[in-house]
Amino acid sequence: MMRALTLGLGAVLAVVVTFEHWVTTTDLPPLTPALSPEVLARDGTLLRAYTVADGRWRLGVDAARVDPTYLAMLLAYEDHRFHDHRGVDPLALLRAGGQSLRAGRVVAGGSTLTMQTARLLEDGPTGTMAGKLRQMRVALALERRLSKDDILSLYLQHAPMGGNLEGLRAGAFAWAGREPVRLTEAQAALLIALPQSPARRQPDRAPDAARAARDRVLARAEAAGVITPDAARAARAEPVPRTRRPFPQDAPHLADRLVSDGARL
């Protein structure tokens, strides 16, 4: 009996050690993405921004500079156990697996926000087992090395918002015409829905799909008690933007000269 118990404990320890080694030796992707150069007014207002080398708009943002209602809605919709798990949520995976089995097809992935961040950092595949395992490994490693706020900020910087827009702040300027520090419930819901399928939900090209996706986010937020029924009703009545707004283009000549000279912006 003691021998069997000893062997069992040894096997468990071996699994734990192997798992820890698998996580701690993960080769992480770069965690500091290239950001759009910005020219700011004295009060911090954005005067002009520029795309990064690959032609994308990717403006710097962190969780501390984002509307708290947006953040609460994001977690309610994408990962309500974000602050409790360590990168992978077994309960979410089991729930997603059960839903897919009952439906006879994949209807939910069970990915945490950390796993989604891992996928965005590497621009990895979404529909393969190897891709999912890689996301889990990177997510577990990210949770060991970064704070929850740091991980959330990485997601906010990389979330695709349609076309060459990347990150919440670029999406907020393009689809709401403002910084994400203050958003309406409708604007927040749209910016939460877009990253799931940006090409199919881009408001200027597929307004009906964008509205339907936005309204699903609002319904989840209402059910979770994040927003009131009255707020949800008012948000559903708000029209979806039909055109993409331009980024601020103030002081163009001065801004061009500063960027050309390599000034510290």
Side-chain angles (χ1 to χ4, degrees), residues 81-119:
R81 284 169 43 83
F82 175 69
H83 290 289
D84 299 320
H85 63 66
R86 299 183 65 185
V88 176
D89 187 350
L91 294 177
L93 291 174
L94 287 172
R95 182 173 60 252
Q99 292 173 351
S100 297
L101 282 174
R102 287 191 295 272
R105 59 186 176 85
V106 176
V107 295
S111 293
T112 63
L113 266 180
T114 312
M115 290 173 63
Q116 293 181 46
T117 300
R119 176 177 58 80

Side-chain angles (χ1 to χ4, degrees), residues 170-254:
F173 271 111
W175 303 122
R178 63 176 67 182
E179 293 274 6
V181 67
R182 188 172 180 82
L183 299 166
T184 68
E185 286 85 354
Q187 291 166 346
L190 176 63
L191 295 171
I192 291 167
L194 271 174
Q196 297 304 307
S197 187
R200 296 180 180 180
R201 299 174 179 178
Q202 192 167 318
D204 58 342
R205 297 182 178 181
D208 292 339
R211 175 184 290 277
R214 181 200 69 179
D215 290 353
R216 287 193 293 272
V217 176
L218 290 169
R220 183 79 61 86
E222 180 184 356
V226 174
I227 61 176
T228 65
D230 287 344
R233 190 178 307 111
R236 283 191 291 269
E238 192 171 311
V240 169
R242 296 299 185 101
T243 58
R244 173 172 156 172
R245 301 184 186 219
F247 285 83
Q249 299 183 33
D250 298 319
H253 301 299
L254 173 62

Side-chain angles (χ1 to χ4, degrees), residues 12-27:
V12 170
L13 181 60
V15 170
V16 171
V17 170
T18 301
F19 177 78
E20 287 295 316
H21 179 75
W22 183 66
V23 174
T24 56
T25 58
T26 302
D27 185 18

